[in-house]
Amino acid sequence: MFSAAPWLTAIDLIGTFVFAVSGATLGVRRQLDLFGVLVLSVAAATAGGIIRDVMIGAVPPASLVNWEYLAVATLAGVVTFAFAEIVERVEHPVRLFDAAGLGLFAVAGTAKALDFGLAAPSAVLLGTLSGIGGGIVRDIMVAQVPTVLRSELYASAAIVGGICVTVAVWLQLPRGPAMVVGAVLCFVLRFMAIRYRWGLPVARARADGSDD
């Protein structure tokens, strides 16, 4: 079977960079200093991968063993801090880079879970957790409701990306291209959800606003 390792490493590092940009951009918006921006960028970039690796027993996590991950996350944070005005010219920069990281980590997490012998449903679930983990940590660190808990499609998009990888394995197709296709589908679905406000039903509060 085609080895996913070269594709997995490349997609993991690209995902690390774009997630770090999303974290750093949010830090700049909250007017954090350089250290705060870097903390947020590294947390957003590595949290999903750490969750993935710990849950499948790949410890110590890759992002803590290989210096490339922290270097890429730090570089993304510094670049974003230095060129924040250019980054802000992108429409919805935090959510856009977050969508890219979501797709990349979802497929990378699914592929790595399959390599460790997990069944397809469990691999997709772990891939989804990999994708949403960084965004959750990033949002909690700045005291806002995580994106995954809001109305726009988020985890659902990650599931689609993970399914693409598992289907490719089931059909014995090359995993590398399937990971690229899955990441693109996840990104497109998330982007469309942002643009057109696609989402799941939202809970409605009681008219009197009480909790009793």
Side-chain angles (χ1 to χ4, degrees), residues 129-144:
L129 289 174
S130 301
I132 68 178
I136 290 175
V137 172
R138 176 199 65 213
D139 293 346
I140 289 175
M141 290 182 71
V142 294
Q144 71 180 28

Side-chain angles (χ1 to χ4, degrees), residues 22-32 36-37 40 94 135-146 150:
S22 77
T25 302
L26 187 58
V28 170
R29 285 184 171 183
R30 294 303 178 92
Q31 298 183 319
L32 304 183
V37 169
L40 208 58
V94 175
I136 290 175
V137 172
R138 176 199 65 213
D139 293 346
I140 289 175
M141 290 182 71
V142 294
Q144 71 180 28
V145 178
R150 291 183 240 163

Side-chain angles (χ1 to χ4, degrees), residues 143-188:
Q144 71 180 28
V145 178
T147 305
V148 70
L149 301 181
R150 291 183 240 163
S151 59
E152 292 168 353
L153 296 179
Y154 194 76
S156 303
I159 290 172
V160 170
I163 288 175
C164 285
V165 178
T166 58
V167 169
V169 171
W170 181 58
L171 296 176
Q172 297 187 336
L173 298 174
R175 249 191 275 184
M179 291 169 69
V180 174
V181 171
V184 170
L185 284 176
C186 177
F187 173 80
V188 170

Side-chain angles (χ1 to χ4, degrees), residues 12-182:
D12 232 9
L13 288 172
I14 296 170
T16 297
F17 184 87
V18 294
F19 253 138
V21 172
S22 77
T25 302
L26 187 58
V28 170
R29 285 184 171 183
R30 294 303 178 92
Q31 298 183 319
L32 304 183
D33 62 15
L34 176 59
F35 179 77
V37 169
L38 292 180
V39 168
L40 208 58
S41 66
V42 171
T46 61
I50 290 174
I51 292 171
R52 173 197 66 202
D53 290 351
V54 168
M55 292 190 71
I56 62 177
V59 291
S63 59
L64 301 181
V65 173
N66 301 319
W67 64 269
E68 293 92 343
Y69 290 89
L70 293 178
V72 166
T74 301
L75 175 63
V78 171
V79 170
T80 304
F81 185 86
F83 301 101
E85 292 184 2
I86 296 175
V87 175
E88 285 291 352
R89 293 175 186 173
V90 179
E91 185 177 3
H92 306 300
V94 175
R95 290 191 289 177
L96 186 64
F97 285 105
D98 179 81
L102 178 69
L104 293 165
F105 269 34
V107 298
T110 302
K112 193 165 185 177
L114 290 171
D115 286 342
F116 273 74
L118 271 67
S122 300
V124 172
L125 175 60
L126 189 61
T128 302
L129 289 174
S130 301
I132 68 178
I136 290 175
V137 172
R138 176 199 65 213
D139 293 346
I140 289 175
M141 290 182 71
V142 294
Q144 71 180 28
V145 178
T147 305
V148 70
L149 301 181
R150 291 183 240 163
S151 59
E152 292 168 353
L153 296 179
Y154 194 76
S156 303
I159 290 172
V160 170
I163 288 175
C164 285
V165 178
T166 58
V167 169
V169 171
W170 181 58
L171 296 176
Q172 297 187 336
L173 298 174
R175 249 191 275 184
M179 291 169 69
V180 174
V181 171

